[in-house]
Amino acid sequence: MSRVRFLIAGPGAVGGYLAARLADGGQDVTVLARPAHAARLRADGLTLTGVEGTRVYRPGVVTADQVGAPYDAVVLAVKAEALTQVMDDIAPAAGPATVVIPFLNGVGHIDRLRQRFGPAVIGGVLRVATELDDNGAVRVLAPMFEVELGGFEEAAGPGLEAVAAAFRGAGADVTIQPDIVGALWAKWVFIASIGAVTSLMRAPVGDVVAVPGGTEFARSVVAEVAAVAEAAGHPVSAGFRQAVEGMVTAPGSTTTSSLSRDLVAGRHTEADAVIGDLVARGQALGVATPGLGLTALALRVHNRRLGS
């Protein structure tokens, strides 16, 4: 397998995990970070911790003003609100043969990236379970590492295959997805359902369904999200919907979501990318989303109180 030169923008819980795993797979990995974070990474390295122990990695580290010649692949692992800035930051890294892979929530980022970088952009769906601990280390919460990749109207070319091979070499379960937009919507249905249920109630799934009305509320949220996806032309299968319902109605479940964890921890939330955009699309398509709308409102109020 040929070595792929990766630039990973956003070496946090997700991007840091990817950087570590790709480095383990023998890839050439550089991370793009803000100056303060870059200084910490250069001094202390990138720490990955979990049931398999703790390891410290020393990837290449650059800031936006240090991005040089084009890379083979640029991975975006930032939150939605950082997209405008990161597109400017990675521009020097995107050459004629570069593949740009965004692992962002929702689907709103795709059109913006394609307008800027054209057919270099391929769709990416990532499933990992990681978080940053209080010391900035990436903590692996579960061994899940699944990647779906796919081109859009244009043939993605050999770059997609090279990236897929690199992720496989890093230990990921990789699928080349012929309907990558449908895959993005399916993940959105999943994260928005769990995110709305656990964020609006500020509690794990098990606590929500343990009280009268909790199970009905959770099912109504899934129904709203699924209805928006269907109206948008990307319906999820009955089996997938049942699986999501099972996740959000499981008695005793400690499942939360990154959205609700950020909320409870007093951090900025991806209110619009995960929930607000669904509400807006539902309104445009004539789909009622009262539960999602209330969730979006609560998260926006939270963000405003943080000054963001």
Side-chain angles (χ1 to χ4, degrees), residues 9-10 32 34 74-92 104 113 116-117:
L32 170 62
R34 299 288 178 232
V74 178
V75 174
L76 304 186
V78 298
K79 291 194 174 182
E81 65 268 17
L83 182 60
T84 298
Q85 181 62 56
V86 83
M87 286 195 295
D88 290 338
D89 293 346
I90 68 169
L104 278 70
L113 282 164
R116 181 74 178 267
F117 299 105

Side-chain angles (χ1 to χ4, degrees), residues 41-53:
L41 289 169
R42 289 178 180 130
D44 302 328
L46 171 65
T47 300
L48 188 72
T49 184
V51 294
E52 297 181 357

Side-chain angles (χ1 to χ4, degrees), residues 20-261:
R21 294 300 299 267
L22 288 166
D24 278 341
Q27 305 305 321
D28 182 346
V29 179
T30 299
V31 298
L32 170 62
R34 299 288 178 232
H37 192 189
R40 289 195 299 273
L41 289 169
R42 289 178 180 130
D44 302 328
L46 171 65
T47 300
L48 188 72
T49 184
V51 294
E52 297 181 357
T54 298
R55 288 191 60 184
V56 178
Y57 296 81
R58 297 280 180 180
V61 181
V62 296
T63 53
D65 60 320
Q66 298 168 330
V67 176
Y71 288 75
D72 300 321
V74 178
V75 174
L76 304 186
V78 298
K79 291 194 174 182
E81 65 268 17
L83 182 60
T84 298
Q85 181 62 56
V86 83
M87 286 195 295
D88 290 338
D89 293 346
I90 68 169
T98 302
V99 176
V100 178
I101 313 110
F103 289 127
L104 278 70
N105 290 325
V107 301
H109 59 282
I110 295 297
D111 285 344
R112 294 179 62 193
L113 282 164
R114 295 187 72 205
Q115 288 168 4
R116 181 74 178 267
F117 299 105
V121 180
I122 63 174
V125 174
L126 176 68
R127 298 180 186 88
V128 297
T130 59
E131 66 179 10
L132 290 180
D133 69 15
D134 293 339
N135 298 314
V138 178
R139 179 184 294 133
V140 181
L141 304 176
M144 176 174 57
F145 187 14
E146 299 172 357
V147 176
E148 293 180 77
L149 301 169
F152 297 100
E153 290 85 358
E154 307 89 350
L160 186 152
E161 295 293 343
V163 168
F167 277 114
R168 288 192 187 100
D173 179 5
V174 180
T175 302
I176 302 295
Q177 177 59 257
D179 179 17
I180 192 63
V181 177
L184 285 162
W185 269 93
K187 182 181 179 183
W188 198 8
V189 168
F190 176 78
I191 64 172
S193 297
I194 295 179
V197 169
T198 60
S199 294
L200 192 57
M201 296 297 110
R202 291 176 174 259
V205 163
D207 289 349
V208 175
V209 301
V211 300
T215 297
E216 292 76 13
F217 162 70
R219 286 179 176 152
S220 72
V221 168
V222 177
E224 288 180 23
V225 179
V228 176
E230 182 170 4
H234 301 284
V236 296
S237 69
F240 183 87
R241 176 170 170 173
Q242 288 172 1
V244 175
E245 285 189 351
M247 285 285 291
V248 299
T249 59
S253 172
T254 59
T255 296
T256 57
S257 67
S258 60
L259 198 66
S260 62
R261 289 192 294 273

